[in-house]
Amino acid sequence: MEASVTIQTRSGSYVVTAGTGIRKQVIKYLPKSYESIYIVSDQTVADLYLEDIKKQFASNQVDSYVVPSGEASKSIDQYYELITDALEKGLNRHSLVIALGGGVVGDLVGFFASTFMRGIDFVQMPTTILAHDSSVGGKVGINHALGKNLIGSFYPPVAVIYDVETLKSLPLREVRSGYAEVVKHGFLEGESFFRDVIRADLTKPLDERTLTKHLLQGIQVKAAVVERDERESYHRMFLNFGHTLGHALESELGYGTWTHGEAVAIGMLFALKVSQRTFRVDLPYEAYYEWIKTNGYPTVLPPLKAESLINKMKKDKKTKNKQIQMVLLKAVGHPVIQQMEEEFLYNQLKDFLGELVD
Amino acid sequence: MEASVTIQTRSGSYVVTAGTGIRKQVIKYLPKSYESIYIVSDQTVADLYLEDIKKQFASNQVDSYVVPSGEASKSIDQYYELITDALEKGLNRHSLVIALGGGVVGDLVGFFASTFMRGIDFVQMPTTILAHDSSVGGKVGINHALGKNLIGSFYPPVAVIYDVETLKSLPLREVRSGYAEVVKHGFLEGESFFRDVIRADLTKPLDERTLTKHLLQGIQVKAAVVERDERESYHRMFLNFGHTLGHALESELGYGTWTHGEAVAIGMLFALKVSQRTFRVDLPYEAYYEWIKTNGYPTVLPPLKAESLINKMKKDKKTKNKQIQMVLLKAVGHPVIQQMEEEFLYNQLKDFLGELVD
């Protein structure tokens, strides 16, 4: 099975193809031919799939570089080393860079591609579920000692080649983390996609057909938002559903304690609760809560201070004039941006933490 | 006197205003208001003009940062330090960055602005003649240990505010360096602008009216090219007139030995000679040679190896398939891109060096 979606950007368009085993036919999905190919991957993924990609090109035309696995590779030092290596290997503006890996590799390599000799073409080959989100939308970047993703740009790939076969090797925790963003896209899209997603049982191996369908549907939701609004303003903010508290939780618990998706899953639960209170509507809070619980997302929190989380929310990159904005739902498929009254939010959060505390 | 040119870019447009004393009315030229202002300058320029800009804003709304003067500030370390400082001072996406200085400051600060939180607005306030070239066209970037401007992006400013009064403090050598690019724009534009430029006597203080006129005309030439072709392809390459040998000379002599403009001035002389030979046309070689000589550009070369320079030319960022391309003139105002036959070029260069050698 193979399916594709075309994404429009300001400067053109690119095709996202998802399918089984398509990593073995990379050339078929490239928009044109290139003088040379430079594949960047992390150690974990390189061990599994680098050779599959590399052997499709003439040996004098392809080079590769492997970074350590994990978030620490999104550093200024790793970025500079990547540039040094690429220059030493003779990469130029007529070369293509392939980012083979999850979000860390995609973000780092995309940022590298966006700034190497003022920009060269790059292809995303995501190998995680979470990367269905990060590989579309053009956001690339690295971390700064003072915060995540503070250095970056908007730079779309020339193609996304998504081999769902590579997702089979993912640990359950990574599957969970990725599916949180799939569910998010369900919440933004509407009842039918949302209900379809929460039928997924993550504790068993997912069949490739369902996976391909969910990933491409998620990508379509994201693409629809991003096409309206490439640089963050009104509509793109919808994608932050669950992320206001999610980011604060990640930071408060210490990065790596929970996965991004685990934090966002709780963030969405909170956003549902706040939405119900704010708009006096019924949302599938219970059905969603059941799904995250059954599928092993952490639903019991260590003791946390609401005040401290609120302060973190205020420091978010997207904050304007220190007012916290949240994405709320008037219904599944009907997100809105809401300026939050601080005291109300504090009380809601205190209640919420109380319900989930250990 | 004050005059302006509007530059179209892919994503919008911005206005370049040149005039006397306009640094004292910055707010008048900003496209909108900002939460906060962050001025970055180098030590030399900051001592002269930083206060003039700073005092136009409320003291709790403005911050500044001063980098050492000189090319060494276009480093990855300086770039990262700038980001750290900006984060510590609370800069966010609703802030404005002002680059106050010459090309080094404009390139560094523009690259910073293009990648800080994925891009924030910035204004160029050039304080050199050379920066009339670099402040328009959206090229920003820093150096890598392996070469100049290898890290960068295309990122237009939201405004260029060019106070010609600040050019009065320039040393003669900087005036010369800048005027090389003005003459280049003359060569690309046509006889009338070219003849007007070489009437300038750089050894005397230039009157502000002539300066404003030349700078804005030069900017218009560049803008016309850049608007057709923001990312380097056919037309933008015209701007490399004189730069193929120019860059090679800078590198061969060691950066800083000659100014950029001095190297380009000789590069253009060579390009004129090659053009005459290639197309059997008459170009104002003698008039131009007289002008650079009278105005103190170096016209006597140390002993240099043609072979070594040719090798440098082959490594140029713009080289494709290792073939040297040069911008030649069929007439003043009629540039073309020419693939050079290596042996012919080598012989031409050998002759040329022989004529100018010490």
Side-chain angles (χ1 to χ4, degrees), chain A residues 10-11 35 79-80 83-84 87 93-94 115 117-118 140 144-145 150-153 232 317 320-321, chain B residues 10-11 35 79-80 83-84 93-94 115 117-118 139-140 144-145 150-153 232 317 320-321:
Chain A
R10 273 193 199 184
S11 44
E35 259 184 49
Y79 164 73
Y80 194 76
I83 293 172
T84 307
L87 288 169
R93 291 189 179 163
H94 312 286
T115 55
M117 295 186 176
R118 296 203 179 88
V140 294
H144 185 279
L150 292 173
I151 305 173
S153 46
E232 213 106 31
K317 208 161 50 202
K320 203 169 169 176
N321 297 320
Chain B
R10 273 193 198 182
S11 44
E35 258 185 52
Y79 163 71
Y80 194 75
I83 293 172
T84 307
R93 290 189 178 160
H94 313 286
T115 55
M117 297 187 176
R118 296 204 179 85
K139 282 191 180 183
V140 293
H144 186 279
L150 293 174
I151 305 172
S153 45
E232 215 106 30
K317 208 162 49 202
K320 201 171 170 175
N321 297 321

Side-chain angles (χ1 to χ4, degrees), chain A residues 109-122:
Chain A
V109 177
F111 184 56
F112 159 77
S114 77
T115 55
F116 183 80
M117 295 186 176
R118 296 203 179 88
I120 61 173
D121 283 0
F122 92 112

